[in-house]
Amino acid sequence: MNSIFLTFVAFIIVKFNNDLIATVDEGRVAALALLDLSAAFDTVDHQLLLEILRHRFCVTDSAIAWFALYLTDRSQVVHIQHGNSTSSDVFYLDCAVPQGSVLGPKIFITYTEDIGDIFDAQNVQHHSFADDTQMYVASIRSQVHTVTSRLSDCIADVTDWCGSRRLQLNGTETELTWFGTSSSLRGLSPFDKSLAVGDASTVN
């Protein structure tokens, strides 16, 4: 199963890169936004995750009980090794999944799977894997002024969706990159090169 999944992810990445190359070859331009989520795995709400598993993926009975048991009584503690060792109090978690685990990224993908509906509704191409999301819009040169506004509208919807998942877009770490020929990119205005993400503005 893992090899099939990784093959599918590799296929999507290759297609994504080929789409951008084809856009340039056709004389068009494309803007690629790399969205960054703040501490994404640490903010996965356990109860909300279980509701998503039940209602969106029809996980029930012993399977949902297993997930509930997996998420129950998770805790964290900080150990300081300097001279006399000391530890913080144990803090029990009602959110977060371990990012470095085998199951963690799959749980996060399940938790955020419906973000694709936003991109489809906005007619914006995208690729997502765990907390890494890339989105792009291609355009003919004469319509380049519409690209940034389309991306901004889509990001505004993504921001609202993040609020419903207890996630947060990190505007200062979100990046915008333009693709096109040298002659096409020379005509971009400063407005075209900036993208508003919440209270932050990111520039390519």
Side-chain angles (χ1 to χ4, degrees), residues 72-85:
T72 300
D73 292 332
R74 301 194 73 88
S75 62
Q76 67 181 23
V77 63
V78 177
H79 296 285
I80 299 176
Q81 297 277 352
H82 184 70
N84 294 327
S85 299

Side-chain angles (χ1 to χ4, degrees), residues 38-74:
S38 299
F41 280 71
D42 295 336
T43 58
V44 173
D45 184 288
H46 293 170
Q47 291 305 312
L48 182 54
L49 170 62
L50 292 174
E51 288 300 308
I52 292 170
L53 288 169
R54 288 190 189 97
H55 298 298
R56 190 167 178 88
F57 294 95
C58 299
V59 179
T60 58
D61 302 329
S62 59
I64 198 67
W66 183 91
F67 273 103
L69 183 62
Y70 174 78
L71 297 170
T72 300
D73 292 332
R74 301 194 73 88

Side-chain angles (χ1 to χ4, degrees), residues 106-149:
K106 294 179 174 64
I107 288 178
F108 189 84
I109 291 170
T110 301
Y111 188 69
T112 60
E113 177 268 342
D114 62 336
I115 192 175
D117 296 343
I118 297 173
F119 297 112
D120 292 341
Q122 293 279 3
N123 195 27
V124 172
Q125 300 293 324
H126 79 286
H127 167 251
S128 296
F129 178 71
D131 58 343
D132 178 27
T133 298
Q134 305 171 359
M135 52 186 284
Y136 80 93
V137 172
S139 170
I140 59 175
R141 182 64 189 87
S142 61
Q143 297 295 316
V144 70
H145 60 281
T146 67
V147 171
T148 302
S149 60

